[in-house]
Amino acid sequence: EAAQELKNHVERAKSVVFFGGAGVSTASGIPDFRSPNGLYHQRGYKYPPETMLSHSFYESHMEEFYDFYRHVMCAPNAQPNQAHRKLAELEAEGKLAAVITQNIDGLHQAAGSKNVIELHGSTHRNICRRCGEVYSQEWILATGGIPRCEKCGGVVKPDVVLYEEALDQGNISRAVRAIERCDMLIIGGTSLVVYPAAGLVQYFRGSDLVICNLEPTPQDDMADLVCACDIAKAFEF
Ligand code: OAD
Ligand code: ZN
């Protein structure tokens, strides 16, 4: 069984790093992007979700972007699942050094994880483009239209990496360093098709690579263990 196998591997490891994506939060009720019921297959939006997640759409259709952001990208009621909880527990035990995530939902921190590298940002930080004031997800959800800074009137933009935008270099460096230093890397709930995030695997020099994903990924061949199951189940140990 996957949970037993994963547990055995984790017990043998000295220092674990977890690298995850949207599949980590599906058990918390947040759809992923590329699965059959993922966001990119959902109909009924006036513009394709991929388009709405781009910087050019943000600049050209700001009202529509904020509507999509508030209703789809923010998930104020989502709660951490067993995968988030177990990872937080492993960190508290000193077993896990870092969580690297492509998710913007803040659920790892909600579960208690401390060292979380958010490659694509977070809906829990929204920053005034003029003065840098930071606003919560709650604050943004209580606004309408284009949110304006209370201090200076500037536009408050989500600290989320949109298509056409660069990832924060400091985050990439931290992620690379964490992956270089661990002896076990667990990759879970990510299709591993979006770069540069998917390219981080190349920095791993440890002895145990585990991939836990419902569907096959392009990097399964490199893995010492592949768990093709619900990651929330795999972490039930
Ligand atoms: P994807 O939707 O591309 O991939 C999610 C993967 O998780 C799929 O391969 C699913 O099979 C798997 N999966 C879903 N539920 C699972 C579960 N309960 N247990 C295990 N596996 C599960 O999501 P990401 O790889 O995170 O970027 O996508 C990467 C980036 O593409 C996102 O961060 C986002 C998106 O465009 C930006 O918006 C910048
Ligand atoms: Zn401001």
Side-chain angles (χ1 to χ4, degrees):
E1 195 213 344
Q4 188 58 48
E5 274 193 288
L6 184 57
K7 179 175 193 260
N8 293 341
H9 279 249
V10 168
E11 275 170 0
R12 285 198 294 269
K14 282 210 248 332
S15 175
V16 181
V17 164
F18 179 81
F19 171 48
V24 175
S25 293
T26 51
S28 296
I30 302 174
D32 66 8
F33 299 94
R34 295 175 182 80
S35 287
N37 54 356
L39 188 59
Y40 294 164
H41 299 280
Q42 288 172 21
R43 312 276 153 140
Y45 293 111
K46 189 167 158 205
Y47 304 93
E50 298 95 307
T51 304
M52 290 193 278
L53 287 169
S54 69
H55 182 81
S56 44
F57 186 85
Y58 175 82
E59 295 294 351
S60 61
H61 297 74
M62 220 173 260
E63 301 245 7
E64 280 116 325
F65 172 87
Y66 280 104
D67 191 48
F68 181 71
Y69 180 67
R70 290 191 189 92
H71 291 102
V72 179
M73 296 170 73
C74 294
N77 300 318
Q79 297 298 321
N81 63 56
Q82 178 59 19
H84 301 104
R85 284 194 294 269
K86 189 69 196 181
L87 288 164
E89 207 179 296
L90 291 170
E91 184 186 31
E93 289 167 8
K95 199 40 128 165
L96 181 130
V99 167
I100 304 165
T101 184
Q102 299 165 84
N103 298 346
I104 57 175
D105 54 35
L107 290 182
H108 286 293
Q109 291 92 333
S113 282
K114 302 284 178 247
N115 190 21
V116 183
I117 302 165
E118 297 174 309
L119 294 174
H120 294 163
S122 174
T123 56
H124 295 273
R125 285 185 306 271
N126 302 276
I127 303 172
C128 172
R129 292 177 100 181
R130 193 183 291 161
C131 77
E133 182 74 11
V134 181
Y135 292 91
S136 67
Q137 188 192 75
E138 201 184 1
W139 181 89
I140 211 112
L141 288 174
T143 62
I146 298 167
R148 294 280 177 179
C149 179
E150 288 173 3
K151 302 262 153 70
C152 78
V155 174
V156 177
K157 186 174 186 282
D159 186 17
V160 162
V161 179
L162 302 173
Y163 283 111
E164 302 152 11
E165 291 178 348
L167 274 64
D168 179 80
Q169 195 51 53
N171 276 338
I172 296 183
S173 304
R174 275 189 290 281
V176 167
R177 239 177 293 131
I179 289 177
E180 279 174 342
R181 288 175 184 173
C182 67
D183 68 338
M184 177 183 194
L185 178 63
I186 307 174
I187 301 178
T190 172
S191 56
L192 287 175
V193 297
V194 176
Y195 283 79
L200 287 171
V201 193
Q202 73 185 75
Y203 296 98
F204 181 58
R205 306 197 177 117
S207 49
D208 201 4
L209 176 66
V210 175
I211 297 184
C212 180
N213 205 65
L214 279 179
E215 291 162 47
T217 79
Q219 320 226 22
D220 284 0
D221 286 351
M222 292 170 57
D224 298 284
L225 172 67
V226 175
C227 304
C229 69
D230 179 359
I231 191 161
K233 289 263 151 53
F235 276 106
E236 263 173 24
F237 62 87

